[in-house]
Amino acid sequence: MLLGKNILVLIKVNEDHKKLLEEKAPGADFIYASRSSLDRATVQNADIILGNPPVEMVKGSKKLKWLQLDSAGVGEYAMHDIVPEDVVLTNASGAYGLAISEYMLGVLLELYKKLYLYRDNQAQGKWHYEGPVKAIYGSTALIVGVGDIGGEFAKRIKALGAYTIGIRRKDANKPDFLDELYFMDKLEELLPRADIVALSLPATRLTDKIINQKTLKLMKKDAVLINVGRGNAIDTEALCDALENGHLIGAALDVTDPEPLPEDHRLWKIKNAIITPHVSGGYSLKETHERIVRICAHNLEAFMNGRSLINVVDRAAGY
Protein backbone atom coordinates (compact mmCIF):
# COMPACT_ATOMS: atom_id res chain seq x y z
CA MET A 1 0.00 0.00 0.00
CA LEU A 2 1.30 3.44 -0.97
CA LEU A 3 0.93 5.43 2.23
CA GLY A 4 1.55 9.13 2.51
CA LYS A 5 0.93 9.87 -1.13
CA ASN A 6 -0.52 13.19 -2.26
CA ILE A 7 -3.88 12.72 -3.94
CA LEU A 8 -5.25 15.74 -5.77
CA VAL A 9 -9.03 15.57 -6.28
CA LEU A 10 -10.40 17.84 -9.01
CA ILE A 11 -13.80 16.22 -9.45
CA LYS A 12 -16.72 17.81 -7.65
CA VAL A 13 -17.28 16.00 -4.36
CA ASN A 14 -19.59 16.23 -1.37
CA GLU A 15 -18.85 14.95 2.13
CA ASP A 16 -20.10 11.44 1.32
CA HIS A 17 -17.85 11.32 -1.73
CA LYS A 18 -14.86 12.46 0.33
CA LYS A 19 -15.54 9.77 2.91
CA LEU A 20 -15.76 7.10 0.22
CA LEU A 21 -12.50 8.14 -1.43
CA GLU A 22 -10.57 8.55 1.84
CA GLU A 23 -11.66 5.07 2.97
CA LYS A 24 -9.99 3.66 -0.13
CA ALA A 25 -6.62 5.28 0.64
CA PRO A 26 -6.13 5.49 4.41
CA GLY A 27 -3.04 7.47 5.35
CA ALA A 28 -2.90 9.41 2.08
CA ASP A 29 -2.99 13.20 1.97
CA PHE A 30 -6.04 14.43 0.04
CA ILE A 31 -6.10 17.88 -1.54
CA TYR A 32 -9.50 18.99 -2.87
CA ALA A 33 -9.41 21.77 -5.46
CA SER A 34 -11.12 23.12 -8.54
CA ARG A 35 -9.51 23.77 -11.90
CA SER A 36 -10.15 27.48 -11.51
CA SER A 37 -8.26 27.66 -8.19
CA LEU A 38 -5.33 25.46 -9.17
CA ASP A 39 -1.69 26.42 -9.40
CA ARG A 40 1.06 24.49 -11.16
CA ALA A 41 2.91 23.64 -7.95
CA THR A 42 -0.11 21.79 -6.52
CA VAL A 43 -0.50 19.74 -9.67
CA GLN A 44 3.22 18.98 -9.91
CA ASN A 45 3.31 17.81 -6.28
CA ALA A 46 0.55 15.21 -6.76
CA ASP A 47 1.28 11.50 -6.95
CA ILE A 48 -2.31 10.77 -7.96
CA ILE A 49 -4.82 13.07 -9.66
CA LEU A 50 -8.55 12.35 -9.82
CA GLY A 51 -10.06 14.62 -12.46
CA ASN A 52 -8.78 16.57 -15.45
CA PRO A 53 -5.98 19.01 -14.60
CA PRO A 54 -5.06 21.79 -17.05
CA VAL A 55 -2.78 20.20 -19.62
CA GLU A 56 -0.10 22.86 -19.27
CA MET A 57 0.07 22.30 -15.50
CA VAL A 58 0.44 18.50 -15.58
CA LYS A 59 3.06 18.50 -18.34
CA GLY A 60 6.51 17.68 -17.05
CA SER A 61 5.35 16.25 -13.71
CA LYS A 62 8.07 14.17 -12.02
CA LYS A 63 5.92 12.76 -9.21
CA LEU A 64 2.71 11.72 -10.98
CA LYS A 65 2.08 7.98 -10.99
CA TRP A 66 -1.59 7.77 -11.96
CA LEU A 67 -4.05 10.15 -13.61
CA GLN A 68 -7.76 9.27 -13.42
CA LEU A 69 -9.72 11.45 -15.83
CA ASP A 70 -13.35 12.31 -15.18
CA SER A 71 -14.02 12.34 -18.92
CA ALA A 72 -14.46 9.45 -21.33
CA GLY A 73 -12.34 11.22 -23.96
CA VAL A 74 -8.64 11.60 -23.28
CA GLY A 75 -7.50 14.15 -25.90
CA GLU A 76 -4.03 15.57 -25.26
CA TYR A 77 -3.57 13.57 -22.06
CA ALA A 78 -2.75 10.53 -24.22
CA MET A 79 0.32 12.30 -25.66
CA HIS A 80 3.57 11.02 -24.14
CA ASP A 81 5.00 14.53 -23.80
CA ILE A 82 1.99 15.53 -21.65
CA VAL A 83 1.51 12.42 -19.50
CA PRO A 84 4.57 10.11 -19.71
CA GLU A 85 4.13 6.46 -20.67
CA ASP A 86 5.12 5.29 -17.17
CA VAL A 87 2.13 7.14 -15.68
CA VAL A 88 -1.04 5.06 -15.51
CA LEU A 89 -3.80 6.85 -17.41
CA THR A 90 -7.46 5.89 -16.92
CA ASN A 91 -10.70 7.46 -18.09
CA ALA A 92 -14.32 7.53 -16.92
CA SER A 93 -15.75 5.25 -19.58
CA GLY A 94 -18.97 3.71 -18.29
CA ALA A 95 -20.16 6.84 -16.52
CA TYR A 96 -21.79 8.58 -19.48
CA GLY A 97 -23.76 5.93 -21.34
CA LEU A 98 -27.03 6.51 -19.50
CA ALA A 99 -27.14 10.28 -19.90
CA ILE A 100 -25.85 10.53 -23.45
CA SER A 101 -27.88 7.65 -24.88
CA GLU A 102 -31.07 9.25 -23.55
CA TYR A 103 -30.00 12.56 -25.12
CA MET A 104 -29.49 10.74 -28.43
CA LEU A 105 -32.93 9.20 -28.20
CA GLY A 106 -34.41 12.60 -27.40
CA VAL A 107 -32.89 14.44 -30.37
CA LEU A 108 -33.71 11.55 -32.69
CA LEU A 109 -37.37 11.81 -31.74
CA GLU A 110 -37.20 15.60 -32.03
CA LEU A 111 -36.17 15.23 -35.68
CA TYR A 112 -38.32 12.19 -36.51
CA LYS A 113 -41.50 13.75 -35.05
CA LYS A 114 -40.69 17.29 -36.31
CA LEU A 115 -40.87 18.65 -32.79
CA TYR A 116 -38.34 21.35 -33.63
CA LEU A 117 -40.79 22.72 -36.22
CA TYR A 118 -43.71 22.64 -33.81
CA ARG A 119 -41.59 24.40 -31.18
CA ASP A 120 -40.84 27.15 -33.69
CA ASN A 121 -44.52 27.35 -34.55
CA GLN A 122 -45.42 27.64 -30.87
CA ALA A 123 -43.16 30.68 -30.51
CA GLN A 124 -45.11 32.30 -33.33
CA GLY A 125 -48.55 31.22 -32.12
CA LYS A 126 -48.90 29.20 -35.32
CA TRP A 127 -51.36 26.23 -35.42
CA HIS A 128 -50.07 24.35 -38.45
CA TYR A 129 -49.64 20.70 -39.47
CA GLU A 130 -46.06 19.96 -40.56
CA GLY A 131 -46.73 16.72 -42.44
CA PRO A 132 -45.78 13.04 -42.14
CA VAL A 133 -43.26 11.82 -39.57
CA LYS A 134 -41.01 8.77 -39.19
CA ALA A 135 -40.84 6.00 -36.59
CA ILE A 136 -37.89 4.34 -34.88
CA TYR A 137 -39.82 1.06 -35.23
CA GLY A 138 -38.70 -0.63 -38.45
CA SER A 139 -35.77 1.74 -39.01
CA THR A 140 -32.14 0.72 -39.50
CA ALA A 141 -29.60 2.36 -37.20
CA LEU A 142 -25.87 2.43 -37.83
CA ILE A 143 -24.01 3.05 -34.57
CA VAL A 144 -20.42 4.08 -35.26
CA GLY A 145 -18.50 3.52 -32.05
CA VAL A 146 -20.06 0.80 -29.91
CA GLY A 147 -18.56 1.53 -26.53
CA ASP A 148 -20.51 2.45 -23.43
CA ILE A 149 -22.38 5.33 -25.10
CA GLY A 150 -23.05 3.75 -28.48
CA GLY A 151 -23.96 0.46 -26.84
CA GLU A 152 -26.49 2.06 -24.50
CA PHE A 153 -28.07 3.90 -27.44
CA ALA A 154 -28.26 0.67 -29.45
CA LYS A 155 -30.05 -1.08 -26.56
CA ARG A 156 -32.67 1.65 -26.36
CA ILE A 157 -33.54 1.90 -30.02
CA LYS A 158 -33.50 -1.86 -30.47
CA ALA A 159 -36.09 -2.03 -27.68
CA LEU A 160 -38.18 0.42 -29.75
CA GLY A 161 -38.03 -1.82 -32.81
CA ALA A 162 -34.96 -0.64 -34.73
CA TYR A 163 -32.56 -2.93 -36.58
CA THR A 164 -29.11 -2.19 -35.17
CA ILE A 165 -25.77 -2.32 -36.98
CA GLY A 166 -22.60 -1.54 -35.08
CA ILE A 167 -19.12 -0.44 -36.17
CA ARG A 168 -16.13 -0.66 -33.86
CA ARG A 169 -12.35 -0.54 -34.24
CA LYS A 170 -11.69 -4.02 -32.88
CA ASP A 171 -13.37 -6.92 -31.07
CA ALA A 172 -15.60 -8.98 -33.35
CA ASN A 173 -17.73 -10.35 -30.51
CA LYS A 174 -21.27 -9.19 -31.30
CA PRO A 175 -23.42 -8.25 -28.29
CA ASP A 176 -27.10 -9.20 -28.29
CA PHE A 177 -28.25 -5.59 -28.75
CA LEU A 178 -26.65 -5.49 -32.21
CA ASP A 179 -28.09 -7.33 -35.20
CA GLU A 180 -24.86 -6.94 -37.18
CA LEU A 181 -21.30 -5.87 -36.29
CA TYR A 182 -18.46 -4.69 -38.54
CA PHE A 183 -15.15 -2.85 -38.45
CA MET A 184 -14.58 0.69 -39.69
CA ASP A 185 -13.53 -0.39 -43.18
CA LYS A 186 -17.19 -1.20 -43.91
CA LEU A 187 -18.49 2.31 -43.16
CA GLU A 188 -19.06 3.40 -46.76
CA GLU A 189 -20.74 0.10 -47.58
CA LEU A 190 -23.14 0.42 -44.63
CA LEU A 191 -24.10 4.10 -44.84
CA PRO A 192 -26.63 3.64 -47.70
CA ARG A 193 -28.58 1.16 -45.53
CA ALA A 194 -28.99 3.42 -42.52
CA ASP A 195 -31.97 5.56 -41.55
CA ILE A 196 -30.07 6.70 -38.46
CA VAL A 197 -26.30 7.25 -38.28
CA ALA A 198 -25.08 7.80 -34.71
CA LEU A 199 -21.47 8.74 -33.98
CA SER A 200 -19.87 8.32 -30.55
CA LEU A 201 -16.20 8.36 -31.45
CA PRO A 202 -13.04 9.73 -29.81
CA ALA A 203 -10.95 12.36 -31.58
CA THR A 204 -8.18 10.46 -33.34
CA ARG A 205 -6.42 10.62 -36.69
CA LEU A 206 -8.54 7.67 -37.87
CA THR A 207 -11.86 9.33 -37.01
CA ASP A 208 -11.09 12.75 -38.47
CA LYS A 209 -13.86 13.81 -40.91
CA ILE A 210 -15.13 10.30 -41.58
CA ILE A 211 -18.41 12.04 -42.40
CA ASN A 212 -17.52 14.26 -45.34
CA GLN A 213 -18.86 15.31 -48.71
CA LYS A 214 -18.36 11.81 -50.15
CA THR A 215 -19.84 9.84 -47.26
CA LEU A 216 -22.76 12.25 -46.82
CA LYS A 217 -23.76 11.55 -50.42
CA LEU A 218 -23.87 7.83 -49.57
CA MET A 219 -26.46 8.44 -46.86
CA LYS A 220 -30.19 8.24 -47.51
CA LYS A 221 -31.90 11.53 -48.26
CA ASP A 222 -34.26 10.91 -45.31
CA ALA A 223 -31.55 9.82 -42.85
CA VAL A 224 -30.73 11.44 -39.53
CA LEU A 225 -27.15 12.08 -38.37
CA ILE A 226 -26.31 12.29 -34.66
CA ASN A 227 -22.90 13.14 -33.21
CA VAL A 228 -22.09 12.98 -29.49
CA GLY A 229 -18.44 11.93 -29.67
CA ARG A 230 -16.08 14.62 -30.94
CA GLY A 231 -16.76 17.29 -33.52
CA ASN A 232 -13.80 16.35 -35.74
CA ALA A 233 -15.68 13.26 -36.99
CA ILE A 234 -17.79 15.49 -39.28
CA ASP A 235 -16.74 17.95 -41.99
CA THR A 236 -18.95 20.79 -40.79
CA GLU A 237 -19.07 22.71 -44.06
CA ALA A 238 -19.97 19.57 -46.01
CA LEU A 239 -22.75 18.87 -43.52
CA CYS A 240 -24.09 22.41 -43.86
CA ASP A 241 -24.18 22.00 -47.65
CA ALA A 242 -26.02 18.69 -47.34
CA LEU A 243 -28.63 20.09 -44.94
CA GLU A 244 -29.19 23.24 -46.97
CA ASN A 245 -29.63 21.14 -50.12
CA GLY A 246 -32.30 18.96 -48.47
CA HIS A 247 -30.12 15.88 -48.17
CA LEU A 248 -30.93 14.35 -44.73
CA ILE A 249 -33.97 14.87 -42.53
CA GLY A 250 -31.64 16.60 -40.14
CA ALA A 251 -28.61 16.42 -37.87
CA ALA A 252 -28.29 16.58 -34.09
CA LEU A 253 -24.91 17.71 -32.81
CA ASP A 254 -23.78 17.97 -29.22
CA VAL A 255 -20.22 18.44 -30.46
CA THR A 256 -19.02 20.57 -33.36
CA ASP A 257 -15.92 21.48 -35.30
CA PRO A 258 -14.95 24.16 -34.43
CA GLU A 259 -16.07 24.10 -30.79
CA PRO A 260 -17.50 26.31 -29.44
CA LEU A 261 -19.36 26.97 -32.67
CA PRO A 262 -18.84 30.65 -33.62
CA GLU A 263 -22.03 32.69 -33.20
CA ASP A 264 -21.94 33.78 -36.84
CA HIS A 265 -21.57 30.24 -38.24
CA ARG A 266 -24.23 29.32 -40.79
CA LEU A 267 -24.97 26.03 -39.01
CA TRP A 268 -26.89 27.95 -36.32
CA LYS A 269 -29.37 29.16 -38.95
CA ILE A 270 -30.16 25.78 -40.50
CA LYS A 271 -33.62 24.82 -39.30
CA ASN A 272 -33.12 21.05 -39.21
CA ALA A 273 -29.80 21.23 -37.35
CA ILE A 274 -30.25 20.56 -33.62
CA ILE A 275 -27.25 22.01 -31.79
CA THR A 276 -26.41 21.79 -28.08
CA PRO A 277 -23.18 23.07 -26.46
CA HIS A 278 -21.52 19.75 -25.49
CA VAL A 279 -23.93 19.16 -22.59
CA SER A 280 -25.24 15.63 -23.17
CA GLY A 281 -22.67 14.29 -20.70
CA GLY A 282 -20.96 16.30 -17.99
CA TYR A 283 -22.60 16.45 -14.59
CA SER A 284 -26.02 17.49 -15.90
CA LEU A 285 -27.42 14.14 -14.75
CA LYS A 286 -26.72 13.37 -11.10
CA GLU A 287 -26.22 9.67 -11.77
CA THR A 288 -23.34 10.49 -14.14
CA HIS A 289 -21.57 12.29 -11.30
CA GLU A 290 -22.15 9.37 -8.93
CA ARG A 291 -20.80 6.90 -11.48
CA ILE A 292 -17.64 8.96 -11.95
CA VAL A 293 -17.03 9.02 -8.21
CA ARG A 294 -17.59 5.26 -8.00
CA ILE A 295 -15.09 4.65 -10.83
CA CYS A 296 -12.54 6.84 -9.03
CA ALA A 297 -13.12 5.01 -5.75
CA HIS A 298 -12.85 1.58 -7.35
CA ASN A 299 -9.60 2.46 -9.11
CA LEU A 300 -8.16 4.23 -6.07
CA GLU A 301 -8.61 1.14 -3.93
CA ALA A 302 -7.12 -1.04 -6.68
CA PHE A 303 -4.14 1.27 -7.19
CA MET A 304 -3.36 1.53 -3.47
CA ASN A 305 -3.39 -2.24 -3.20
CA GLY A 306 -1.45 -3.05 -6.34
CA ARG A 307 -4.38 -4.49 -8.31
CA SER A 308 -5.40 -3.94 -11.92
CA LEU A 309 -7.37 -0.79 -12.71
CA ILE A 310 -10.38 -0.48 -15.00
CA ASN A 311 -10.55 1.91 -17.97
CA VAL A 312 -6.80 1.98 -18.64
CA VAL A 313 -6.29 4.09 -21.77
CA ASP A 314 -4.70 2.61 -24.88
CA ARG A 315 -2.30 5.45 -25.71
CA ALA A 316 -1.83 4.33 -29.32
CA ALA A 317 -5.58 4.22 -29.99
CA GLY A 318 -6.24 7.45 -28.07
CA TYR A 319 -8.97 6.07 -25.80
Side-chain angles (χ1 to χ4, degrees):
M1 182 173 288
L2 303 174
L3 295 177
K5 294 300 180 181
N6 293 320
I7 301 176
L8 175 60
V9 180
L10 299 176
I11 59 174
K12 296 178 181 178
V13 288
N14 58 33
E15 291 306 313
D16 288 339
H17 296 151
K18 290 179 181 180
K19 180 180 178 182
L20 175 64
L21 293 173
E22 290 171 13
E23 285 175 348
K24 304 301 182 182
D29 295 321
F30 282 79
I31 301 103
Y32 297 94
S34 65
R35 283 174 59 98
S36 61
S37 65
L38 268 183
D39 58 72
R40 180 177 170 82
T42 301
V43 175
Q44 293 282 313
N45 193 46
D47 299 290
I48 295 169
I49 300 176
L50 307 180
N52 294 26
V55 170
E56 66 277 7
M57 289 188 184
V58 76
K59 185 176 182 179
S61 174
K62 304 298 184 185
K63 294 189 64 179
L64 188 64
K65 296 177 177 60
W66 166 42
L67 172 58
Q68 168 68 59
L69 301 175
D70 66 358
S71 58
V74 298
E76 291 180 279
Y77 297 107
M79 298 171 64
H80 67 85
D81 60 335
I82 303 297
V83 178
E85 292 288 342
D86 61 347
V87 175
V88 180
L89 179 64
T90 54
N91 65 14
S93 179
Y96 294 96
L98 170 62
I100 298 180
S101 64
E102 289 191 352
Y103 166 93
M104 296 167 77
L105 182 59
V107 291
L108 173 59
L109 288 169
E110 182 176 2
L111 288 165
Y112 260 20
K113 305 306 178 183
K114 299 184 176 178
L115 301 182
Y116 64 100
L117 295 177
Y118 289 110
R119 182 65 183 182
D120 289 348
N121 291 348
Q122 178 182 335
Q124 301 172 39
K126 183 179 178 183
W127 189 277
H128 176 72
Y129 174 57
E130 293 292 349
V133 298
K134 294 192 69 174
I136 295 174
Y137 181 85
S139 66
T140 296
L142 178 62
I143 299 98
V144 188
V146 195
D148 172 45
I149 295 166
E152 289 298 315
F153 178 63
K155 291 175 188 176
R156 283 158 176 74
I157 56 172
K158 185 172 180 60
L160 292 172
Y163 186 86
T164 54
I165 305 172
I167 289 182
R168 59 163 55 126
R169 189 178 69 89
K170 58 183 180 179
D171 187 358
N173 294 310
K174 184 181 74 63
D176 291 341
F177 54 78
L178 292 177
D179 293 298
E180 300 178 33
L181 177 64
Y182 301 92
F183 295 135
M184 191 65 82
D185 62 336
K186 297 295 184 182
L187 176 66
E188 293 187 9
E189 181 180 326
L190 294 168
L191 282 172
R193 297 176 56 190
D195 301 293
I196 302 156
V197 177
L199 311 177
S200 54
L201 295 166
T204 71
R205 179 180 55 81
L206 297 176
T207 62
D208 190 56
K209 293 181 174 55
I210 61 166
I211 300 299
N212 50 53
Q213 185 179 49
K214 177 185 176 183
T215 52
L216 282 164
K217 287 181 179 178
L218 295 174
M219 293 175 63
K220 292 182 178 181
K221 189 171 182 178
D222 62 348
V224 164
L225 176 63
I226 302 171
N227 189 15
V228 294
R230 288 295 182 266
N232 77 301
I234 297 176
D235 181 331
T236 305
E237 297 307 317
L239 175 60
C240 287
D241 290 342
L243 293 171
E244 289 176 342
N245 293 330
H247 190 77
L248 303 183
I249 283 180
L253 311 172
D254 188 48
V255 289
T256 60
D257 182 21
E259 187 175 308
L261 189 66
E263 63 179 28
D264 60 348
H265 198 286
R266 61 172 169 152
L267 187 59
W268 288 112
K269 305 296 184 183
I270 299 176
K271 187 179 287 288
N272 56 339
I274 309 300
I275 304 167
T276 50
H278 207 147
V279 294
S280 63
Y283 289 175
S284 299
L285 184 67
K286 182 180 179 182
E287 176 59 20
T288 302
H289 187 191
E290 296 300 323
R291 290 183 180 192
I292 290 169
V293 173
R294 289 198 294 267
I295 289 169
C296 289
H298 172 92
N299 271 350
L300 181 57
E301 182 176 39
F303 187 86
M304 298 300 284
N305 290 280
R307 300 198 302 268
S308 297
L309 279 63
I310 60 172
N311 294 348
V312 176
V313 172
D314 180 339
R315 304 291 186 98
Y319 59 90

